Amino acid sequence: MSNREKINEKKLPVHIAIIMDGNGRWAKQKGMARIIGHQNGVDAVRDTVEASAELGIKFLTLYAFSTENWNRPRYEIDALMELLVSALKKELKTMTDNNIRLLAVGDLKSLPDKCNRELNEVMELTKQNTRMSLVLALSYSSRWEITEAARKVSEDVRTGKISPDKLDENMFRSYFSSSHIPDPELLIRTSGEHRISNFLLWQIAYAELYFTPKLWPDFRREDLYEAIVDYQNRERRFGKVSEQIIS
Ligand code: IPE
Ligand code: IPE
Ligand code: MG
């Protein structure tokens, strides 16, 4: 039985988040420049996006550029921003054909104008699509998102809009740039690194973590199916004991 056949479609995660890592190493292994790895990463994105939509996943979040990635060499940053613009242009068809809505989280105003314009255009053109939301995390870090939320909460307390004793988890969460997106049940990281790198720290409190040694440009739908099968074989207890879990 293939992994695709093993997937229980009634128990799909609603939201899958992916840390797409290993583009640079993929290129290096082949004696090529890092940017070639990023370019080939776009094929992995397309296949993963299409497969997720076909399966019935409602939200797919891809970590595409972190706050810390601004510390990379200038030429790599510029190449990544160019690639983002060209990939958005090219993949608009994938999104329209598959009824996919594009969303973005992160400090978007720090992106070059050209990226922001393209991003806004594609988000506008796909906003009515209902099959799946593809969320790009761009210039994103979880500490940035949490700090921003804390700043906005403080401002609302200062102006009397909210009272500090009314603040609970749900209210705090509503201040996140990703507040309209449910928490991911499954987080995948490629490239064999076992770390979170400042991604969705709050939202993954109870996510199942899945690590694969595959480098991102080699990741394909079969790898996604494998991760989902693994996820479906786990018991999610949320602090309870096994006997309390009704499956
Ligand atoms: C992930 O691949 C893409 C981004 C972070 C933009 P990397 O560029 O981090 O590739 P490695 O980890 O150096 O191999
Ligand atoms: C995480 O990958 C960020 C993205 C995939 C966009 P990095 O390559 O930047 O993470 P570290 O530096 O290995 O932790
Ligand atoms: Mg990396």
Side-chain angles (χ1 to χ4, degrees):
M1 218 197 239
S2 69
N3 277 318
R4 174 67 188 86
E5 289 161 336
K6 282 187 206 154
I7 293 176
N8 178 347
E9 288 181 0
K10 292 195 186 75
K11 281 185 170 179
L12 284 174
V14 173
H15 181 182
I16 299 179
I18 307 184
I19 303 175
M20 311 183 287
D21 196 20
N23 296 352
R25 277 163 284 168
W26 183 92
K28 199 175 173 189
Q29 279 175 7
K30 296 178 160 47
M32 297 186 291
R34 293 178 56 85
I35 186 65
I36 309 289
H38 297 312
Q39 284 165 358
N40 279 275
V42 179
D43 296 334
V45 169
R46 189 181 315 109
D47 202 45
T48 306
V49 167
E50 281 177 356
S52 301
E54 277 165 34
L55 276 174
I57 303 299
K58 297 314 279 180
F59 292 87
L60 175 69
T61 299
L62 302 178
Y63 202 8
F65 193 85
S66 74
T67 307
E68 289 76 21
N69 288 150
W70 290 115
N71 298 320
R72 291 194 177 192
R74 190 72 241 175
Y75 61 87
E76 181 165 343
I77 296 173
D78 292 345
L80 278 166
M81 294 301 148
E82 283 298 323
L83 183 63
L84 174 65
V85 174
S86 65
L88 283 167
K89 279 191 203 300
K90 223 172 113 195
E91 301 310 325
L92 174 62
K93 190 173 157 24
T94 315
M95 288 182 253
T96 4
D97 288 353
N98 290 282
N99 191 14
I100 294 167
R101 167 175 75 150
L102 183 74
L103 300 172
V105 292
D107 187 12
L108 304 180
K109 56 186 187 316
S110 68
L111 296 171
D113 289 346
K114 211 168 137 190
C115 291
N116 248 324
R117 268 200 308 275
E118 197 59 41
L119 199 58
N120 283 322
E121 201 178 314
V122 179
M123 288 197 288
E124 184 60 30
L125 289 169
T126 60
K127 71 175 183 201
Q128 312 286 9
N129 293 350
T130 52
R131 193 182 188 191
M132 184 181 84
S133 295
L134 168 63
V135 188
L136 292 184
L138 288 165
S139 191
Y140 175 89
S141 77
S142 197
R143 287 184 179 177
W144 167 83
E145 184 177 49
I146 295 168
T147 310
E148 275 294 291
R151 204 181 45 72
K152 288 179 195 149
V153 168
S154 320
E155 184 59 19
D156 281 357
V157 168
R158 194 180 61 83
T159 58
K161 216 172 138 196
I162 60 163
S163 140
D165 43 271
K166 288 279 173 321
L167 187 71
D168 59 11
E169 280 186 18
N170 283 335
M171 190 192 275
F172 188 69
R173 203 189 188 296
S174 72
Y175 284 85
F176 285 177
S177 59
S178 60
S179 63
H180 49 299
I181 301 162
D183 289 347
E185 296 96 329
L186 172 61
L187 172 71
I188 300 172
R189 183 173 188 145
T190 60
S191 92
E193 306 295 358
H194 295 150
R195 56 176 171 263
I196 303 302
S197 302
N198 218 346
F199 191 41
L200 304 175
L201 299 178
W202 174 291
Q203 295 89 334
I204 60 166
Y206 266 103
E208 295 298 325
L209 311 183
Y210 180 87
F211 300 99
T212 166
K214 274 265 169 94
L215 301 175
W216 178 251
D218 289 331
F219 193 88
R220 286 296 178 275
R221 60 184 63 213
E222 287 70 28
D223 302 295
L224 179 74
Y225 299 154
E226 200 177 310
I228 295 173
V229 170
D230 191 278
Y231 160 84
Q232 291 187 331
N233 284 324
R234 299 185 192 186
E235 184 180 63
R236 306 187 74 210
R237 287 190 290 279
F238 300 98
K240 297 180 182 172
V241 299
S242 207
E243 289 68 27
Q244 293 173 289
I245 312 295
I246 313 142
S247 53

